[in-house]
Amino acid sequence: MKRLATPVLLLCLILSVAGCFAPHPVAPAPSPAPIPNPVSPPAPSSTSLTPAVPTSSPTTNPPTSSNPAPTLGELDVHFIDVGQGDSILLNLGETEVLIDAGEKSPGVVNYLKKYVDGPLEVMVATHPHADHIGGLPAVLGSFQVQQVWYNGEKSDTKTYADFTTAVQAEGTEIHIGKRGDKITTGLLSFSVLNPFNLAGTTNNNSIVLNLLYGVVDFLFTGDAEKESEAAMLLAADMPVPHADVLKVGHHGSRTASSKDFLALVSPKVAVYSAGTGNTYGHPHQETLAALAQAGTMVYGTDINGTVTISTNGETYAVTSKK
């Protein structure tokens, strides 16, 4: 019996000692509390228009701000039928901008009288050719003009002499427009993309303007041709925009509207200004084909008369006189 008891006692002793090292159930450690989002101090009541960031998931229809951004007014851009020439009026409420005025003719003045209320805020002479500045002296004689912009190029023609005389008699602000300048009046702000300098031809020295109104982009090119188009495409400081509306360069001549230029601009609507049966053959078929290839809807003053594009900064509509 003693021999049997000893192993039993030994076995009990082993089990007892092993029990001391058996793992005990351990309560799980509490999860760390989430780090609270930083709380900004309350803004003063005078600047409390910004809504607080919601701590819960956003709702399907978040509450509308009690002070929404103001809606832009309707801008009307008139590509005036002046025959073989250019004239564009931008009318935004009491703000008006005129880009060129065609040949010497009272027609532009009569047209402007229907839309200009008070002074004409800005007049732009894109370059000193008669079919662009010939009608400007009559405009200066009929309206108070607050700012005159031109490219600084001189000409020995009587048309140019009449223009400079009228500008000096007006006693207005005179600005020479070059690449990088801004022309601003009211809610309208134009970027000057051309000329870089006056080293090119008179056409290639044209003032080229980009206007972004809301999300609708306009590009006004004067008589700029392929050389200045190429220079604008190569320059990285002010990229050529993708424009909704393009004023076709040089009356639709084959000397402008290169395929590379149109491919980048990719205008949805293009307007050229040309006289019916003009001796230059404007618009040239090459230009019309290039615009068609770009998928552009094309209007011309020789076919459609005065073309007006109206926009609220989000959408736009095109109407014409013919």
Side-chain angles (χ1 to χ4, degrees), residues 7 16 31 42 50 75 86 94 97 119 179 184 192-193 259 262 268 276 278 284 308 314 322:
S16 174
S31 300
T50 304
L75 170 66
D86 269 21
E94 296 183 354
V97 174
R179 183 177 176 85
T184 302
V192 180
L193 304 184
K259 289 185 178 180
L262 292 180
K268 298 179 178 64
T276 304
N278 66 84
H284 291 149
T308 303
E314 297 179 1
K322 296 180 182 178

PDB file of all heavy atoms in Angstrom, residues 7 16 31 42 50 75 86 94 97 119 179 184 192-193 259 262 268 276 278 284 308 314 322:
ATOM      1  N   PRO A   7       2.975   7.169  -5.505  1.00  0.00           N
ATOM      2  CA  PRO A   7       2.681   7.740  -6.832  1.00  0.00           C
ATOM      3  C   PRO A   7       1.415   8.563  -6.852  1.00  0.00           C
ATOM      4  O   PRO A   7       1.328   9.556  -7.556  1.00  0.00           O
ATOM      5  CB  PRO A   7       2.534   6.488  -7.727  1.00  0.00           C
ATOM      6  CG  PRO A   7       3.277   5.420  -7.019  1.00  0.00           C
ATOM      7  CD  PRO A   7       3.133   5.699  -5.565  1.00  0.00           C
ATOM      8  N   SER A  16      -1.666  19.863  -8.544  1.00  0.00           N
ATOM      9  CA  SER A  16      -1.879  21.065  -7.741  1.00  0.00           C
ATOM     10  C   SER A  16      -0.964  22.180  -8.180  1.00  0.00           C
ATOM     11  O   SER A  16      -1.362  23.337  -8.315  1.00  0.00           O
ATOM     12  CB  SER A  16      -1.643  20.729  -6.256  1.00  0.00           C
ATOM     13  OG  SER A  16      -1.718  21.903  -5.468  1.00  0.00           O
ATOM     14  N   SER A  31     -11.765  49.654 -24.892  1.00  0.00           N
ATOM     15  CA  SER A  31     -11.317  50.338 -26.121  1.00  0.00           C
ATOM     16  C   SER A  31     -11.034  51.787 -25.797  1.00  0.00           C
ATOM     17  O   SER A  31     -11.767  52.423 -25.034  1.00  0.00           O
ATOM     18  CB  SER A  31     -12.399  50.260 -27.205  1.00  0.00           C
ATOM     19  OG  SER A  31     -12.675  48.912 -27.497  1.00  0.00           O
ATOM     20  N   PRO A  42     -16.576  79.463 -31.320  1.00  0.00           N
ATOM     21  CA  PRO A  42     -17.712  80.021 -32.055  1.00  0.00           C
ATOM     22  C   PRO A  42     -17.336  81.326 -32.730  1.00  0.00           C
ATOM     23  O   PRO A  42     -16.630  82.150 -32.161  1.00  0.00           O
ATOM     24  CB  PRO A  42     -18.773  80.233 -30.971  1.00  0.00           C
ATOM     25  CG  PRO A  42     -17.996  80.282 -29.685  1.00  0.00           C
ATOM     26  CD  PRO A  42     -16.812  79.407 -29.874  1.00  0.00           C
ATOM     27  N   THR A  50     -21.270  81.045 -42.346  1.00  0.00           N
ATOM     28  CA  THR A  50     -20.778  79.747 -42.790  1.00  0.00           C
ATOM     29  C   THR A  50     -21.402  78.661 -41.935  1.00  0.00           C
ATOM     30  O   THR A  50     -21.267  78.679 -40.722  1.00  0.00           O
ATOM     31  CB  THR A  50     -19.250  79.682 -42.672  1.00  0.00           C
ATOM     32  OG1 THR A  50     -18.687  80.759 -43.410  1.00  0.00           O
ATOM     33  CG2 THR A  50     -18.717  78.362 -43.206  1.00  0.00           C
ATOM     34  N   LEU A  75     -26.256  88.690 -69.562  1.00  0.00           N
ATOM     35  CA  LEU A  75     -25.311  89.357 -70.447  1.00  0.00           C
ATOM     36  C   LEU A  75     -25.713  89.076 -71.880  1.00  0.00           C
ATOM     37  O   LEU A  75     -25.881  87.913 -72.268  1.00  0.00           O
ATOM     38  CB  LEU A  75     -23.888  88.843 -70.184  1.00  0.00           C
ATOM     39  CG  LEU A  75     -22.815  89.267 -71.193  1.00  0.00           C
ATOM     40  CD1 LEU A  75     -22.582  90.776 -71.137  1.00  0.00           C
ATOM     41  CD2 LEU A  75     -21.509  88.510 -70.931  1.00  0.00           C
ATOM     42  N   ASP A  86     -15.977  94.515 -88.224  1.00  0.00           N
ATOM     43  CA  ASP A  86     -16.286  93.934 -86.913  1.00  0.00           C
ATOM     44  C   ASP A  86     -16.884  94.988 -86.003  1.00  0.00           C
ATOM     45  O   ASP A  86     -16.421  96.137 -85.975  1.00  0.00           O
ATOM     46  CB  ASP A  86     -15.005  93.429 -86.228  1.00  0.00           C
ATOM     47  CG  ASP A  86     -14.700  91.973 -86.552  1.00  0.00           C
ATOM     48  OD1 ASP A  86     -15.202  91.482 -87.576  1.00  0.00           O
ATOM     49  OD2 ASP A  86     -13.942  91.344 -85.791  1.00  0.00           O
ATOM     50  N   GLU A  94     -26.514  98.079 -66.740  1.00  0.00           N
ATOM     51  CA  GLU A  94     -26.068  99.432 -67.039  1.00  0.00           C
ATOM     52  C   GLU A  94     -24.605  99.476 -67.481  1.00  0.00           C
ATOM     53  O   GLU A  94     -24.031 100.562 -67.627  1.00  0.00           O
ATOM     54  CB  GLU A  94     -26.264 100.319 -65.807  1.00  0.00           C
ATOM     55  CG  GLU A  94     -27.727 100.496 -65.409  1.00  0.00           C
ATOM     56  CD  GLU A  94     -27.899 101.435 -64.234  1.00  0.00           C
ATOM     57  OE1 GLU A  94     -26.869 101.854 -63.658  1.00  0.00           O
ATOM     58  OE2 GLU A  94     -29.051 101.754 -63.889  1.00  0.00           O
ATOM     59  N   VAL A  97     -19.826  97.443 -73.074  1.00  0.00           N
ATOM     60  CA  VAL A  97     -18.479  97.404 -73.636  1.00  0.00           C
ATOM     61  C   VAL A  97     -18.616  97.257 -75.138  1.00  0.00           C
ATOM     62  O   VAL A  97     -19.382  96.410 -75.619  1.00  0.00           O
ATOM     63  CB  VAL A  97     -17.658  96.231 -73.056  1.00  0.00           C
ATOM     64  CG1 VAL A  97     -16.299  96.120 -73.756  1.00  0.00           C
ATOM     65  CG2 VAL A  97     -17.473  96.391 -71.553  1.00  0.00           C
ATOM     66  N   PRO A 119     -23.164 106.326 -69.722  1.00  0.00           N
ATOM     67  CA  PRO A 119     -21.910 106.272 -70.477  1.00  0.00           C
ATOM     68  C   PRO A 119     -21.620 104.879 -71.027  1.00  0.00           C
ATOM     69  O   PRO A 119     -22.148 103.878 -70.532  1.00  0.00           O
ATOM     70  CB  PRO A 119     -20.867 106.678 -69.433  1.00  0.00           C
ATOM     71  CG  PRO A 119     -21.463 106.269 -68.126  1.00  0.00           C
ATOM     72  CD  PRO A 119     -22.946 106.479 -68.275  1.00  0.00           C
ATOM     73  N   ARG A 179      -0.546  91.727 -73.774  1.00  0.00           N
ATOM     74  CA  ARG A 179      -0.755  90.445 -73.111  1.00  0.00           C
ATOM     75  C   ARG A 179      -0.514  90.564 -71.608  1.00  0.00           C
ATOM     76  O   ARG A 179       0.488  91.119 -71.159  1.00  0.00           O
ATOM     77  CB  ARG A 179       0.167  89.394 -73.716  1.00  0.00           C
ATOM     78  CG  ARG A 179      -0.028  87.991 -73.132  1.00  0.00           C
ATOM     79  CD  ARG A 179       0.849  86.978 -73.818  1.00  0.00           C
ATOM     80  NE  ARG A 179       0.741  85.669 -73.222  1.00  0.00           N
ATOM     81  CZ  ARG A 179      -0.188  84.761 -73.508  1.00  0.00           C
ATOM     82  NH1 ARG A 179      -1.098  85.036 -74.421  1.00  0.00           N
ATOM     83  NH2 ARG A 179      -0.218  83.574 -72.921  1.00  0.00           N
ATOM     84  N   THR A 184     -11.375  95.697 -66.840  1.00  0.00           N
ATOM     85  CA  THR A 184     -12.437  95.386 -65.884  1.00  0.00           C
ATOM     86  C   THR A 184     -13.415  96.540 -65.775  1.00  0.00           C
ATOM     87  O   THR A 184     -13.012  97.701 -65.672  1.00  0.00           O
ATOM     88  CB  THR A 184     -11.858  95.089 -64.492  1.00  0.00           C
ATOM     89  OG1 THR A 184     -10.929  94.002 -64.599  1.00  0.00           O
ATOM     90  CG2 THR A 184     -12.945  94.724 -63.507  1.00  0.00           C
ATOM     91  N   VAL A 192      -6.357  90.029 -71.519  1.00  0.00           N
ATOM     92  CA  VAL A 192      -5.758  90.321 -72.819  1.00  0.00           C
ATOM     93  C   VAL A 192      -4.723  89.238 -73.123  1.00  0.00           C
ATOM     94  O   VAL A 192      -3.725  89.105 -72.409  1.00  0.00           O
ATOM     95  CB  VAL A 192      -5.106  91.718 -72.834  1.00  0.00           C
ATOM     96  CG1 VAL A 192      -4.492  92.003 -74.201  1.00  0.00           C
ATOM     97  CG2 VAL A 192      -6.115  92.801 -72.466  1.00  0.00           C
ATOM     98  N   LEU A 193      -4.960  88.455 -74.182  1.00  0.00           N
ATOM     99  CA  LEU A 193      -4.068  87.363 -74.563  1.00  0.00           C
ATOM    100  C   LEU A 193      -3.078  87.764 -75.652  1.00  0.00           C
ATOM    101  O   LEU A 193      -2.065  87.070 -75.855  1.00  0.00           O
ATOM    102  CB  LEU A 193      -4.886  86.158 -75.051  1.00  0.00           C
ATOM    103  CG  LEU A 193      -5.944  85.596 -74.094  1.00  0.00           C
ATOM    104  CD1 LEU A 193      -6.577  84.351 -74.701  1.00  0.00           C
ATOM    105  CD2 LEU A 193      -5.344  85.282 -72.740  1.00  0.00           C
ATOM    106  N   LYS A 259      -6.057  74.605 -87.509  1.00  0.00           N
ATOM    107  CA  LYS A 259      -6.658  73.398 -86.940  1.00  0.00           C
ATOM    108  C   LYS A 259      -6.200  73.179 -85.501  1.00  0.00           C
ATOM    109  O   LYS A 259      -6.984  72.746 -84.646  1.00  0.00           O
ATOM    110  CB  LYS A 259      -6.326  72.189 -87.812  1.00  0.00           C
ATOM    111  CG  LYS A 259      -7.057  72.192 -89.157  1.00  0.00           C
ATOM    112  CD  LYS A 259      -6.796  70.919 -89.935  1.00  0.00           C
ATOM    113  CE  LYS A 259      -7.571  70.921 -91.258  1.00  0.00           C
ATOM    114  NZ  LYS A 259      -7.330  69.683 -92.052  1.00  0.00           N
ATOM    115  N   LEU A 262      -8.162  75.661 -83.284  1.00  0.00           N
ATOM    116  CA  LEU A 262      -9.561  75.264 -83.106  1.00  0.00           C
ATOM    117  C   LEU A 262      -9.668  73.986 -82.280  1.00  0.00           C
ATOM    118  O   LEU A 262     -10.623  73.819 -81.508  1.00  0.00           O
ATOM    119  CB  LEU A 262     -10.228  75.066 -84.463  1.00  0.00           C
ATOM    120  CG  LEU A 262     -10.442  76.328 -85.308  1.00  0.00           C
ATOM    121  CD1 LEU A 262     -11.126  75.980 -86.631  1.00  0.00           C
ATOM    122  CD2 LEU A 262     -11.258  77.369 -84.558  1.00  0.00           C
ATOM    123  N   LYS A 268     -18.069  75.726 -79.034  1.00  0.00           N
ATOM    124  CA  LYS A 268     -19.385  75.159 -79.329  1.00  0.00           C
ATOM    125  C   LYS A 268     -20.120  76.026 -80.354  1.00  0.00           C
ATOM    126  O   LYS A 268     -20.877  75.519 -81.179  1.00  0.00           O
ATOM    127  CB  LYS A 268     -20.203  75.044 -78.044  1.00  0.00           C
ATOM    128  CG  LYS A 268     -19.589  74.108 -77.000  1.00  0.00           C
ATOM    129  CD  LYS A 268     -20.437  74.063 -75.745  1.00  0.00           C
ATOM    130  CE  LYS A 268     -19.851  73.102 -74.712  1.00  0.00           C
ATOM    131  NZ  LYS A 268     -18.535  73.546 -74.227  1.00  0.00           N
ATOM    132  N   THR A 276     -21.973  90.630 -97.092  1.00  0.00           N
ATOM    133  CA  THR A 276     -22.537  89.788 -98.145  1.00  0.00           C
ATOM    134  C   THR A 276     -21.845  90.071 -99.467  1.00  0.00           C
ATOM    135  O   THR A 276     -21.728  91.220 -99.899  1.00  0.00           O
ATOM    136  CB  THR A 276     -24.050  90.050 -98.277  1.00  0.00           C
ATOM    137  OG1 THR A 276     -24.668  89.833 -97.003  1.00  0.00           O
ATOM    138  CG2 THR A 276     -24.667  89.143 -99.319  1.00  0.00           C
ATOM    139  N   ASN A 278     -18.715  89.993-100.261  1.00  0.00           N
ATOM    140  CA  ASN A 278     -17.484  90.777-100.169  1.00  0.00           C
ATOM    141  C   ASN A 278     -16.431  90.268-101.154  1.00  0.00           C
ATOM    142  O   ASN A 278     -16.413  89.090-101.524  1.00  0.00           O
ATOM    143  CB  ASN A 278     -16.952  90.754 -98.737  1.00  0.00           C
ATOM    144  CG  ASN A 278     -16.488  89.379 -98.292  1.00  0.00           C
ATOM    145  OD1 ASN A 278     -15.364  88.972 -98.549  1.00  0.00           O
ATOM    146  ND2 ASN A 278     -17.388  88.638 -97.621  1.00  0.00           N
ATOM    147  N   HIS A 284     -13.773  81.906 -95.898  1.00  0.00           N
ATOM    148  CA  HIS A 284     -13.204  80.921 -96.803  1.00  0.00           C
ATOM    149  C   HIS A 284     -13.670  79.524 -96.434  1.00  0.00           C
ATOM    150  O   HIS A 284     -13.889  79.214 -95.255  1.00  0.00           O
ATOM    151  CB  HIS A 284     -11.673  80.996 -96.763  1.00  0.00           C
ATOM    152  CG  HIS A 284     -11.139  82.258 -97.363  1.00  0.00           C
ATOM    153  ND1 HIS A 284      -9.974  82.866 -96.944  1.00  0.00           N
ATOM    154  CD2 HIS A 284     -11.623  83.051 -98.365  1.00  0.00           C
ATOM    155  CE1 HIS A 284      -9.754  83.958 -97.661  1.00  0.00           C
ATOM    156  NE2 HIS A 284     -10.746  84.096 -98.522  1.00  0.00           N
ATOM    157  N   THR A 308     -26.935  87.534 -81.666  1.00  0.00           N
ATOM    158  CA  THR A 308     -26.887  87.867 -80.238  1.00  0.00           C
ATOM    159  C   THR A 308     -26.826  86.588 -79.417  1.00  0.00           C
ATOM    160  O   THR A 308     -27.622  85.671 -79.631  1.00  0.00           O
ATOM    161  CB  THR A 308     -28.108  88.690 -79.811  1.00  0.00           C
ATOM    162  OG1 THR A 308     -28.179  89.877 -80.606  1.00  0.00           O
ATOM    163  CG2 THR A 308     -28.018  89.071 -78.338  1.00  0.00           C
ATOM    164  N   GLU A 314     -24.556  80.549 -66.804  1.00  0.00           N
ATOM    165  CA  GLU A 314     -24.635  79.096 -66.715  1.00  0.00           C
ATOM    166  C   GLU A 314     -24.997  78.481 -68.062  1.00  0.00           C
ATOM    167  O   GLU A 314     -24.398  77.495 -68.489  1.00  0.00           O
ATOM    168  CB  GLU A 314     -25.652  78.675 -65.657  1.00  0.00           C
ATOM    169  CG  GLU A 314     -25.284  79.122 -64.237  1.00  0.00           C
ATOM    170  CD  GLU A 314     -26.323  78.709 -63.218  1.00  0.00           C
ATOM    171  OE1 GLU A 314     -27.325  78.064 -63.604  1.00  0.00           O
ATOM    172  OE2 GLU A 314     -26.150  79.030 -62.031  1.00  0.00           O
ATOM    173  N   LYS A 322     -31.817  87.292 -89.014  1.00  0.00           N
ATOM    174  CA  LYS A 322     -32.320  86.680 -90.250  1.00  0.00           C
ATOM    175  C   LYS A 322     -32.630  85.220 -90.030  1.00  0.00           C
ATOM    176  O   LYS A 322     -32.014  84.551 -89.209  1.00  0.00           O
ATOM    177  CB  LYS A 322     -31.263  86.839 -91.365  1.00  0.00           C
ATOM    178  CG  LYS A 322     -30.969  88.272 -91.764  1.00  0.00           C
ATOM    179  CD  LYS A 322     -29.935  88.318 -92.865  1.00  0.00           C
ATOM    180  CE  LYS A 322     -29.574  89.723 -93.273  1.00  0.00           C
ATOM    181  NZ  LYS A 322     -28.538  89.792 -94.323  1.00  0.00           N
TER     182      LYS A 322
END
